[in-house]
Amino acid sequence: EIVLTQSPDTLSLSPGERATLSCRASESVSSYLAWYQQKPGQAPRLLIYDASNRATGIPARFSGSGSGTDFTLTISSLEPEDFAVYYCQQRSNWPYTFGQGTNLEIK
Amino acid sequence: EVQLVESGGGLVQPGRSLRLSCTASGFTFGYYDMSWVRQAPGKGLEWVSFIKSKAYGGTIEYAASVKGRFTISRDDSKSIAYLQMNRLQTEDTAVYYCRRDLGCSGGSCQDFWGQGTLVTVSS
């Protein structure tokens, strides 16, 4: 099973700041990595698929990069609605797996 | 508008069974792979199972934690995906989400999730 490790566990920032979230895979997932945002009581929302492609309707302030084992989600300038939990997820091999999540909180 | 509506969750005793349904609308159900993903209270996400479209052979996979106990299926004529859960354990307590695989239009792709249904396994 491919293990995804996200860092940091918690990120405290203010609106307007830049957020950088990391995801490291225990083995290569090529570019088969997605990023999800989840708010309390809601289903996950796809932000980025295949490492760097924004999903439909996702604002341009969200961007993804990386390949192989190291990936990054960047939010260029945080909006109040961006504070949430973020998960990376791989679909390279079954079982598909998620990282443990990064809680992006307001400082 | 794409909609996925899960149903069938509830409180069940350990060892008993439950069947979840995911009723889809707004797209051609048979064209898409469907999955079940769960989230235990206060925890992260776990991909439970998927079933590919018949065009891709209807391939099925299960997480090790549910293999042999859960069965995924689909009825393309009714646009419903099912998750039959047998021999339920307390650790199966979670919100269960139905997910439709990526669909692409105009150079961008999107998946869709239901609102989730809570399964509580407790005596």
Side-chain angles (χ1 to χ4, degrees), chain B residues 59-78:
Chain B
T59 302
I60 288 171
E61 294 282 6
Y62 298 101
S65 57
V66 306
K67 197 168 187 177
R69 300 187 298 122
F70 289 12
T71 303
I72 192 171
S73 61
R74 61 190 299 157
D75 185 336
D76 291 351
S77 69
K78 296 181 179 179

Side-chain angles (χ1 to χ4, degrees), chain A residues 4 7 11 46 52 54 86 92 95:
Chain A
L4 299 179
S7 60
L11 185 58
L46 179 66
S52 61
R54 266 192 305 278
Y86 291 81
S92 175

Side-chain angles (χ1 to χ4, degrees), chain B residues 4-91:
Chain B
L4 299 171
V5 179
E6 300 98 337
S7 59
L11 175 63
V12 61
Q13 293 179 326
R16 304 299 291 264
S17 299
L18 213 54
R19 187 177 80 160
L20 305 183
S21 299
C22 170
T23 303
S25 61
F27 64 98
T28 305
F29 183 78
Y31 286 0
Y32 291 91
D33 302 347
M34 298 298 296
S35 294
W36 289 94
V37 177
R38 69 184 180 183
Q39 187 168 36
K43 302 296 185 183
L45 298 161
E46 180 186 17
W47 209 294
V48 173
S49 181
F50 75 71
I51 181 167
K52 286 195 168 292
S53 66
K54 287 188 170 54
Y56 286 90
T59 302
I60 288 171
E61 294 282 6
Y62 298 101
S65 57
V66 306
K67 197 168 187 177
R69 300 187 298 122
F70 289 12
T71 303
I72 192 171
S73 61
R74 61 190 299 157
D75 185 336
D76 291 351
S77 69
K78 296 181 179 179
S79 297
I80 301 177
Y82 299 100
L83 187 67
Q84 177 68 43
M85 304 185 294
N86 297 332
R87 304 199 310 274
L88 282 160
Q89 304 167 356
T90 55
E91 48 268 39

Side-chain angles (χ1 to χ4, degrees), chain A residues 26-47:
Chain A
S26 59
E27 62 185 85
S28 177
V29 299
S30 185
S31 293
Y32 297 120
L33 189 107
W35 289 94
Y36 286 89
Q37 176 193 70
Q38 189 179 33
K39 297 179 179 179
Q42 296 185 13
R45 174 194 182 198
L46 179 66
L47 302 174

